[in-house]
Amino acid sequence: MPLTQDEIKELHKKSREIRKQIVEITYSAGGGHIGGSLSQTDVLVALYYKYLNIDPSRAHWEDRDRMILSKGHGGIGWAAILGDKGYFDKTLLKDFNKTGSPFGMHLDSLKVPGCDASTGSLGHGLAIAIGLALGARLKGKNWHTYVMLGDGECCEGSVWEAATIGAHHKLDNLTGFVDRNKLMIDGPTEEITTLEPLEEKFRIFGWESLRIDGHDFAQIGDAIEKAQTIKGKPTMIICDTIKGKCVDFMENDYKWHYGGINSDMVDTAMKSIDSYYQNILG
Amino acid sequence: MAEGMTWSIEEADKLTQAEIYGDVLCQLGDKYPDLVAITADLAKSTKIGRFGQKFPDRFFNVGIAENTMFGMAAGLAQAGLRPVVSTFAVFTALRSAEQVRTDICYQNLDVKIIATHAGISFGQAGTTHHCTEDIAITRSFANMTVIVPADGIETGNAVVAAMEWPGPVYIRIGRGFEPHVHTTQDYGFEIGKAETINDGNDITIICCGVTVLHAVRAAKVLEKEGLRVRVINMHTIKPIDKDAILKAVEETKRIVTVEEHNVFGGLGSAVGEVIVESGKACAFKKLGLQDIYSIVGYPEDLYNYYKIDSDGIVETISEMMGKKIEEDEDWEDET
């Protein structure tokens, strides 16, 4: 069932909150992968606040849906959501990156409740997700496995190795997302190494392949719901997004893949986020 | 071996290491309904395919895609299954080192890896298929247990024991065509506990894998020369049996390590670390590949060429025994 206007409004409010937290954590942590954390936010918010079958009070509940952030550098954005969902005391996030903190740039599955796999080294998450999806089938379980890849990550050969195998096993209990913000550390993806046509590539590899605006909740919801109905193959949803989304001085600037911000920048960023949501929410 | 951990294969002494582990896995498949096996187009070569024939629903051949295979194994373990993965050592420890380290060891997952064709056992295949670095690499992964069984019977014991051993385990085997050292499986195999195969107080050979056979043969030759050689089968490289090493240092004062591996980072290095940290001194020699890539050839010729067969061990020990060794009775003052 498509998301209602009320649901979409609530998801926007949550995204606003998460984006502000991302800015705060980036500030207190002394730096972070803020650009990609902001680009992935809406898809993750839709998953965590609408679609995932999870129980944060039981992080290891066997029947939970699994979520792998293969683009593990989005850890700040992911942790903000996990904390907000109640997997842990979110005041702990002020210690992000601090010595001895459970929270580093790339989340550790043994230290962060709700983190289903330790990622960060790109090109690993899809294979782990395939193992989890196959595991669900073997155990006769209904959990769904979700995995989010970075677009630059799709340069890794192991992504395509895994894509081949995921299709071979007809894993319709597996849904992937590519956070297609079109920028990697050193610049635009298409200038560094061409990734397009990404949607067609996954289709040729045997996946149901969709392309959406990754900041449009109606499209995000429709795509996730469509993926749930696809039988006999996994689904990859290419989400066109904007790196640094909602922070005007970061948007579409590859230099904000990773960066630190001072208090003035925090103020500017918060104003920019408010202004964006003012337009949407009124 | 712990109570209840058994396997039974008729005429096991006539089978290779891989054949035995393949058959043992089939038996374990009955015991562990959550055991799943994975390989990367080496079902026949590694013998993990035997499990696949018996349990086709619990067997995955991913094709030639080792990196995905190890990542999948991590996911399957996280899903609550017990993955056993098998491919050649070179593809495990070198190509997929990062997946093994980051996906499996970092997350401390119960994945058991049986790496075959290790060392120079696949001699004719050349250096691309040899692996003389894997002990060094895998023992540097925190949480990883590293086992190098001496023969097929010990491989059976190791596979059985690994299933009840927590965390990731790397079991390194060769092609295993050599005669068995053990005649029975009931000799008390225990992960982390070295086996003294031959006792003696003149010198100690610490060995693993195929070199155990050669060490035993060398000890017999040297016995005729009047030397009493202790042979320690250090089947577990990590966690290593420090007590056995230090006892040998104290009682024999001369140690030679023998391995089918680069002398940098392998068994010899692991033994040397224990000795150096103890503060005890002893004559010490590492036999193995002396930081070179292996040549092509029949394995038995290569073992001879690199002086890790009985001839090479006898030669080395003869040289060592000819040298004057400090016989310091006042041992305690050196600690």
Side-chain angles (χ1 to χ4, degrees):
Chain A
M1 214 165 79
L3 293 171
T4 64
Q5 285 308 310
D6 283 348
E7 284 177 314
I8 289 174
K9 197 172 174 185
E10 290 308 308
L11 291 172
H12 274 306
K13 285 182 186 167
K14 190 50 80 178
S15 279
R16 176 173 61 188
E17 206 179 311
I18 297 300
R19 285 196 163 97
K20 286 187 168 184
Q21 271 197 38
I22 290 169
V23 171
E24 281 168 11
I25 300 169
T26 303
Y27 173 65
S28 64
H33 293 92
I34 187 163
S37 289
L38 291 168
S39 65
Q40 75 195 12
T41 294
D42 296 317
V43 173
L44 290 186
V45 163
L47 282 172
Y48 276 92
Y49 296 88
K50 171 66 184 175
Y51 293 105
L52 289 183
N53 181 30
I54 49 175
D55 178 358
S57 69
R58 292 182 294 160
H60 295 102
W61 172 43
E62 192 184 2
D63 293 334
R64 72 190 185 280
D65 285 344
R66 298 327 197 253
M67 169 61 211
I68 310 290
L69 189 68
S70 191
K71 47 166 292 191
H73 55 281
I76 280 185
W78 193 18
I81 291 173
L82 295 176
D84 186 66
K85 289 296 291 184
Y87 279 102
F88 47 80
D89 175 4
K90 64 178 169 185
T91 63
L92 292 169
L93 292 171
K94 68 179 179 355
D95 294 330
F96 214 101
N97 278 4
K98 304 284 190 296
T99 303
S101 164
F103 303 100
M105 293 174 208
H106 309 95
L107 302 187
D108 179 341
S109 67
L110 298 182
K111 292 183 181 156
V112 180
C115 169
D116 283 325
S118 302
T119 52
S121 179
L122 298 172
H124 290 229
L126 191 53
I128 295 173
I130 286 168
L132 280 163
L134 267 178
R137 181 184 285 172
L138 281 172
K139 292 179 77 104
K141 295 287 186 182
N142 291 323
W143 78 65
H144 199 94
T145 300
Y146 294 91
V147 55
M148 179 180 276
L149 287 74
D151 54 355
E153 180 178 8
C154 293
C155 295
E156 293 280 5
S158 54
V159 168
W160 302 100
E161 234 182 64
T164 304
I165 293 161
H168 175 80
H169 289 288
K170 304 179 173 29
L171 295 173
D172 49 22
N173 59 353
L174 171 65
T175 300
F177 304 88
V178 176
D179 183 20
R180 183 74 175 108
N181 60 34
K182 302 167 196 72
L183 298 173
M184 41 190 171
I185 295 177
D186 283 341
T189 59
E190 302 312 277
E191 284 179 23
I192 291 169
T193 191
T194 305
L195 292 172
E196 296 293 351
L198 214 43
E199 187 187 354
E200 199 178 326
K201 283 182 181 174
F202 278 102
R203 187 171 297 125
I204 289 168
F205 271 73
W207 290 56
E208 179 70 18
S209 189
L210 308 172
R211 188 146 195 158
I212 61 166
D213 176 344
H215 300 306
D216 180 329
F217 281 115
Q219 290 189 38
I220 296 169
D222 286 349
I224 292 172
E225 290 178 26
K226 182 172 181 194
Q228 289 170 348
T229 67
I230 300 293
K231 296 294 169 209
K233 57 181 169 180
T235 298
M236 187 60 74
I237 304 169
I238 314 298
C239 307
D240 283 308
T241 58
I242 291 172
K243 200 152 188 164
K245 176 72 177 173
C246 291
V247 177
D248 50 11
F249 65 91
M250 293 184 186
E251 284 194 356
N252 287 320
D253 183 351
Y254 70 88
K255 296 191 187 70
W256 285 103
H257 174 83
Y258 179 92
I261 48 177
N262 60 31
S263 58
D264 288 345
M265 291 160 121
V266 171
D267 292 343
T268 311
M270 294 303 188
K271 279 178 195 150
S272 176
I273 291 170
D274 280 333
S275 152
Y276 175 82
Y277 284 100
Q278 183 72 33
N279 287 335
I280 291 178
L281 298 167
Chain B
M1 195 152 51
E3 194 72 23
M5 292 165 61
T6 55
W7 53 277
S8 165
I9 292 170
E10 282 182 25
E11 299 192 308
D13 58 329
K14 294 190 175 65
L15 302 178
T16 66
Q17 286 181 297
E19 286 169 328
I20 289 179
Y21 103 69
D23 288 348
V24 168
L25 266 192
C26 289
Q27 295 179 10
L28 292 173
D30 289 322
K31 182 176 176 187
Y32 301 105
D34 50 1
L35 194 164
V36 293
I38 324 176
T39 190
D41 198 35
L42 289 172
K44 292 186 189 76
S45 307
T46 67
K47 305 300 178 220
I48 201 167
R50 293 183 180 193
F51 181 92
Q53 284 169 351
K54 187 172 174 189
F55 302 102
D57 296 341
R58 290 195 265 151
F59 177 70
F60 302 104
N61 190 336
V62 300
I64 306 160
E66 293 81 7
N67 294 340
T68 298
M69 172 173 69
F70 285 106
M72 272 174 63
L76 283 161
Q78 285 171 317
L81 294 147
R82 293 171 184 265
V84 175
V85 190
S86 195
T87 182
F88 292 174
V90 68
F91 307 135
T92 304
L94 296 176
R95 175 174 303 179
S96 298
E98 201 199 359
Q99 277 77 11
V100 172
R101 179 266 200 183
T102 300
D103 301 351
I104 295 172
C105 293
Y106 175 38
Q107 303 194 93
N108 201 14
L109 295 172
D110 256 323
V111 176
K112 313 306 175 190
I113 300 167
I114 304 170
T116 68
H117 298 64
I120 48 178
S121 64
F122 199 7
Q124 302 99 308
T127 299
T128 58
H129 282 60
H130 298 170
C131 192
T132 53
E133 303 87 356
D134 56 325
I135 296 176
I137 293 166
T138 55
R139 82 182 180 95
S140 71
F141 295 164
N143 294 331
M144 182 70 110
T145 294
V146 181
I147 304 174
V148 186
D151 59 12
I153 288 170
E154 189 154 90
T155 302
N157 286 343
V159 171
V160 170
M163 295 306 294
E164 293 295 331
W165 186 262
V169 177
Y170 180 80
I171 299 175
R172 175 202 215 233
I173 63 176
R175 300 194 79 188
F177 295 133
E178 295 79 11
H180 287 228
V181 175
H182 300 97
T183 52
T184 166
Q185 69 186 74
D186 303 318
Y187 58 91
F189 177 84
E190 213 177 303
I191 292 175
K193 186 98 182 115
E195 177 197 14
T196 301
I197 292 194
N198 201 59
D199 216 350
N201 284 334
D202 290 328
I203 189 166
T204 299
I205 305 170
I206 301 181
C207 42
C208 63
V210 71
T211 65
V212 175
L213 172 72
H214 295 296
V216 169
R217 286 174 174 168
K220 283 187 183 143
V221 173
L222 291 162
E223 195 178 342
K224 289 178 189 155
E225 306 296 321
L227 279 177
R228 293 158 304 148
V229 179
R230 183 177 302 185
V231 177
I232 294 177
N233 168 19
M234 192 63 75
H235 50 70
T236 308
I237 311 294
K238 183 184 165 191
I240 203 157
D241 187 342
K242 292 181 182 176
D243 292 343
I245 296 169
L246 295 179
K247 190 162 175 274
V249 169
E250 197 147 342
E251 292 175 1
T252 74
K253 297 185 175 57
R254 299 170 189 86
I255 304 248
V256 54
T257 59
V258 196
E259 60 194 310
E260 190 183 355
H261 189 275
N262 193 327
V263 290
F264 290 167
L267 169 72
S269 298
V271 170
E273 288 160 14
V274 173
I275 297 171
V276 170
E277 289 204 344
S278 77
K280 313 261 187 196
C282 75
F284 184 64
K285 178 86 181 163
K286 293 188 290 183
L287 291 183
L289 276 82
Q290 304 294 327
D291 200 29
I292 44 174
Y293 289 107
S294 40
I295 60 167
V296 171
Y298 294 109
E300 58 271 28
D301 293 341
L302 299 189
Y303 298 144
N304 184 266
Y305 183 82
Y306 293 111
K307 299 185 186 296
I308 57 176
D309 70 350
S310 53
D311 290 349
I313 296 169
V314 167
E315 183 186 319
T316 299
I317 288 182
S318 301
E319 282 174 16
M320 285 175 82
M321 296 307 292
K323 285 178 188 162
K324 184 169 167 51
I325 306 293
E326 184 191 7
E327 294 282 1
D328 186 353
E329 295 305 323
D330 191 10
W331 186 254
E332 293 305 321
D333 65 2
E334 295 188 18
T335 60

